[in-house]
Amino acid sequence: MLNGFKDFILRGNVISMAIGLAVGTAFTSVVTGFSKAFITPLIGLATGSVGNFNDATFSVGKTVFPYGLAISASIAFVITAAVLYFLIVVPMTGIQHKFAKAAAADPKSEKRDCPHCYSEIPTIASRCAHCTSEVEPVATFPEKVEVPAPR
């Protein structure tokens, strides 16, 4: 039982996930510090207020609602998402498209009708799979077809 647990813990994907979580936590604290140090004061300048929303509250009866914490968390989330998208996702997508290999097309994907039984057969077929009649191949299939990578 302990050997199975040891194998699970020492798998590469579990260790990679743990490292990713640690880096993500550190990245979150950096983005939160950046938003508190720069973005929140800039919002304060733009709105003419202090810019620190953490202390913003409203009361209903004796209950206090600290809505400023939600605003600050939302700002930190938007900044984190924007930084991740523009600094990681967009460059990585570009790199993947740049180094993407051409996908080989399936030779059976192009279809035509058999001239004898009118069933659907591949274009490169020399014999019908349904009526077993010999048919002339319409086209030869190239070794490698350049297919653009999906965007």
Side-chain angles (χ1 to χ4, degrees):
M1 184 161 92
L2 290 178
N3 286 334
F5 180 71
K6 182 182 83 170
D7 293 340
F8 171 73
I9 292 298
L10 294 179
R11 263 192 229 164
N13 55 359
V14 173
I15 293 171
S16 296
M17 184 182 68
I19 291 169
L21 286 171
V23 170
T25 303
F27 182 74
T28 301
S29 65
V30 168
V31 170
T32 302
F34 176 78
S35 66
K36 285 182 181 178
F38 296 105
I39 303 300
T40 305
L42 287 174
I43 292 172
L45 285 174
T47 59
S49 64
V50 176
N52 185 0
F53 297 106
N54 289 335
D55 298 331
T57 60
F58 70 91
S59 298
V60 176
K62 293 184 179 181
T63 305
V64 177
F65 294 92
Y67 70 91
L69 295 174
I71 292 173
S72 296
S74 299
I75 291 170
F77 171 76
V78 168
I79 293 169
T80 304
V83 167
L84 287 174
Y85 181 75
F86 289 112
L87 295 182
I88 295 175
V89 173
V90 171
M92 288 304 292
T93 303
I95 290 171
Q96 286 175 342
H97 287 304
K98 184 176 181 180
F99 294 110
K101 293 183 179 178
D106 184 15
K108 297 179 182 178
S109 63
E110 297 289 325
K111 302 288 184 184
R112 66 178 172 137
D113 288 337
C114 172
H116 302 285
C117 68
Y118 303 108
S119 60
E120 192 175 71
I121 60 173
T123 304
I124 63 170
S126 59
R127 186 174 292 274
C128 177
H130 302 281
C131 69
T132 68
S133 299
E134 286 191 28
V135 293
E136 193 66 32
V138 174
T140 58
F141 192 76
E143 286 295 316
K144 201 172 210 182
V145 175
E146 294 293 323
V147 178
R151 291 185 175 196

